[in-house]
Amino acid sequence: MASIASSIVSRTTSASPAATPKVPSQGGILDGGNPSRYNPKDPITIFIIQAGIIIIFCRILHYPLSKLRQPRVIAEIIGGILLGPSVLGRIPGFTNAIFPAASMPTLSAAANLGLIFFLFLVGLEVDLRLLLSNWRIALSVGAAGMAIPFGLGCAIAYGLYHEFNGEPGVRTVEFGTYLLFIGVAMAITAFPVLCRILTELKLLQTQVGVVVLSAGVGNDVVGWILLALCVALVNASTGLTALYVLLTCVAYVLALVYGVRPLFIWFLKRNRSFQNGPSQTVVALVILLTLASAFFTGIIGVHPIFGAFLVGLMCPHDGGFAIKLTEKIEDFVCVFLLPLYFALSGLSTNIGLLDNGITWAYVFGVIAVAFCGKFIGGTLAARLCKLVWRESFTIGVLMSCKGLVELIVLNIGYNAKILSQRTFTIFVVMALVTTFATTPLTSALYPPSYQQKLAAWRRGEIDWDGNQLGPDSNSSEQGDTALEKSSSTELRKLLVFLRLDSLPSLFTFVNLLGGGPFGNSQQKFHPQKTQKSPGIAGTDSGESASDGPYKRPLEVHGLRMLELTERQSSVMKESDLDDYSIRDPVVKAFHTFGQLSNVAVSGEVQIVPEVSYAEILNRTASDQGSDLVLIPWSETGRLSEAGDPLLLDPEQNTFSSVPHNQFVTAFLSNATCNVAVFVNNGFGQAKTRKALHRVPTALSLRSTTGPVAPPIIDRSHHIFFPFFGGPDDRVALRFVLRLARNSNVTATIVNVNIGDSAKSLERHPSEPATENPSYENEHAFFNTIKDSLPRELEQRVLFSNLNTQHPLRDIIDIARAETGLSTQNAGDIVIVGRGVRAVARDLLRREVETLRAGGGAALGSDAGLGVLAGSIIGGDVNASVLVIQAGTVVQE
C-alpha cells in the first residue's frame, strides 16, 4: 500500500506543472516588470505613458508661445513634430519604447474619438444667425476667399500630383479627386482658431471682426461639405456609388434639420434647458446623437467627423444653450483627447523628407499659394464692399489662418492615402507658418490706435490726417473745456466697474449720487376711478406726477469684465457678447437698479484677458466721455470673479492679490478722467452683532434658519475728509460737496495745516526762500469753497482746521471719532486724495516708517492707493474708504 501511495503522489507531482497553467505576475514593477512594454491584453499602461508625455510636452511648449500671443494649436503641432521622427524619433529606441507600432491603434482610437467631439464643438460654435444677418458681405468675402485659393490650389495640384503621387504608401486616385482635395486644403479657414485670435485682439465687435467671422462661418460650412464630397469620391468604387453617397448625405441633412431638430428643441423646452442649462440627461442625449450621427456618416462612406459637425450645427443657440453645453464637454476633449490627435499628426510628419531642392520649392510654393490666395481674395472682396484698404488687408490676413482645421483635413487625406508622407509634411509646414503669422501681421496692420482713429474719422470728429473737425477744433479751447468739466462739482456721466461681490455697496453709493428714487407725494387712484372720492384730497388721474421742472438724471454706465480663458466657451461668449450682456445677471440687476432709482443706467460685458482689464476700462471711459470712474476694491482679494465664493477664506488679506493691485495701479497711472477707488467696509449694510460661536457635537442639530438682517432704520451716512491740498484733494473736496447734496449725508471737512518747521520741506533746497506759493494757493482754494457753500448744505457740512506736525496720527484719531458718531446708520465714508502735497507726503511717510519700526504696518500702502489711504485702511477705522485721483487734465 505504501508503494502504491508513493507512486500516485509522484505521478501527481510530476503532472501538476503541465496540468496547472501559470498565473501571470501581478507584482508589476515590484516583480521586475517593464511598464513601457506593450501588452495587447492590458494596453492602458503604455497609453497613460503616451498621453502624459504628449500633454506635458504640449503644455510646456505653449507657455513661451502664449507670450507671443500664439494659439495653443501651434504648440500642439510643434509638439507632435518634435515627438515624431523629425526630432526625438531620431533617438535610437525612442519610438519603439514610447510609441511602438502595436500600440498605435489604441492611441488612434482615443485621438479620433476626441476629433469627433471636437468637430461637434466646432459646429456648436458656428452661429448661422451671424451668417444670415451679414449675408451680403459674408457671401462676397467668403466666396472670393475660397474661389481664388481653390483655383491656385488646383494649379499647384498638377505639379504635386505628377511629382509625388508615385511615392510609397499612396493609392492611385484620379487627378480630379486629387485636385479637389488640394483645392479644399488651400481654401479652408480655421474657424475656431480665427475666433480665438479675434477675441484676444479685441476685434470681434469691430467691423473687421464681424466681416471675418461672418465669412468664416460660410467658409467653414462650405469647406466641410466639399471635403465630405472629396472623401465620398475617394471611398466610392464607381461614380454611381459616389452619387448615391452624396444623395444619402443630402437626405440625412434634411432629416436632421426638419425631423430631429424640432423634436430636440421640443425636448429642450420641456426639460427647461434654455432657462436652467443642459442637465445630465440632455448632455447624455447630445453625446448619443453625436456618436450616432458620426456612425451613420462613417458607414455611408463619408468621414465620421462630418456627422458630428452636423449635430453641432443643429443645436440651438437660444438662451446661451450652446455656450452652456460647450462648458460641459470642452475641457476633457480639448485638454486630453485633442492633443493626442495632433501628436499622431506629428508622428506622421518627417521634416527629414524635405531633403532636396524641388521639395523645398514646393514648400515655398504651397505657402505662397495658401497665403496669397486667401490674402488677395479677402482683400479685394472687402475693398469692393467699401472697407478702407487697411481694413481689407487685415481681413485678407485673417482669412489666411489655417490652424487645426487644416491639420484635420491633411490627416483625412493622409489616412485615405491621397497624400504621401512627403506631401503631408509640406502641407503641415504650410499650416504652421500661416497660422503663426496671422497674429503678428494682424497686430501690425490693425493696431488699437488705428482703430480709434478710424472710428473717430467715421464719426466725423477728425479728417483723414487726424485734424479735428467742427467748431471745437481749437486744441486750447478743448483743453479749457476738459479742465472746466473735470473741475466742476457737477457729475453727469459715471462709469462703474461692476463686480458681483461689490454690488450691494455699489448700489448704495450710486444711489447717493442719483438722489434716490423718484418721489411723488400725490395720492394715487385706481385707473378706472376717474372721479374723486368724497372727502379725499388729491388730484385726478390726468394731473402730472412731476412736482417741478425736469432735472437731467445722472448717467451711469456699468462695465463688467470677465476673464478670457483658454476655453472655447469663453470665446463663444465674446462672439455672442450682445446677447450675453442682456442675459448677464449682474448687468440685469444693474438695469433694474436704474429703473428704481433716479439714474439712467446702461451696462455691458467685456470678456478680455486679465492683463487687459486696465486698458479696456480706460478705453471705455474715453468712449463714454465719463466724468468719473468708480472702481470697487475686490472684496474677495481676486481680480477675476471665477471660483466659488463659499470656498474663499474670509480672513484673507484682500490687498495681497498681486493681479488686482497691478490692475488698479495700471489704470490709475493711465487714467485721463477722475477716478474713485472704493474700499468697502459694511457700507449700505445694517450693523449686526456677531453670532455666538457654536461648537458642534454629535448631538448638535443644524439650524434651518439663517441670520435675519434687520431693515436699516437710519439711512444716513457721514463723510470725513482731510484736506491736504493738491489736484487730487481739490477734486475730492468738490466730490464731497456733490455727495452732501443728498439729504441723508453729513460731512466733516478738515483743512490740515502742517507746522512751520514742516512747511519748509515743501521748498526745494535750490529754490529761493521766498518761493512757496503752493500752501497759500491751497489755503485760498479751501476758503473759497467754504465761503461759497450753498445755504441748504450749511446744516449738514462742517468745516474745521487742524494744525499739526503729526498729521497721520491725528487724522486717524479724528477719523475714528467721526465715524463712530452713529452706530446704526447705513455706513460712513472716509474720503482721501491719492496724492498729497510734497510736504505732507514726506511727513506721512516718516510716520508710516515709525509705525512699521514699532511693529505696525499700513495695510494698503503697497496697493497703490497712497500712504494716507493705506494707513486709514489699516488703522481700525470703522468706515469705508474712497480714494480720489484727479484726471490728467486737472493735474496739468
Side-chain angles (χ1 to χ4, degrees), residues 423-438:
T423 311
F424 177 80
T425 303
I426 291 174
F427 277 85
V428 168
V429 173
M430 177 270 291
L432 191 62
V433 171
T434 54
T435 306
F436 193 91
T438 302

Side-chain angles (χ1 to χ4, degrees), residues 297-310:
T297 55
I299 63 175
I300 66 173
V302 184
H303 201 280
I305 64 174
F306 186 66
F309 179 74
L310 290 177

Side-chain angles (χ1 to χ4, degrees), residues 1 19 166 205 217 336 445:
M1 291 293 292
Q205 306 304 317
V217 169
F336 181 69
L445 286 171

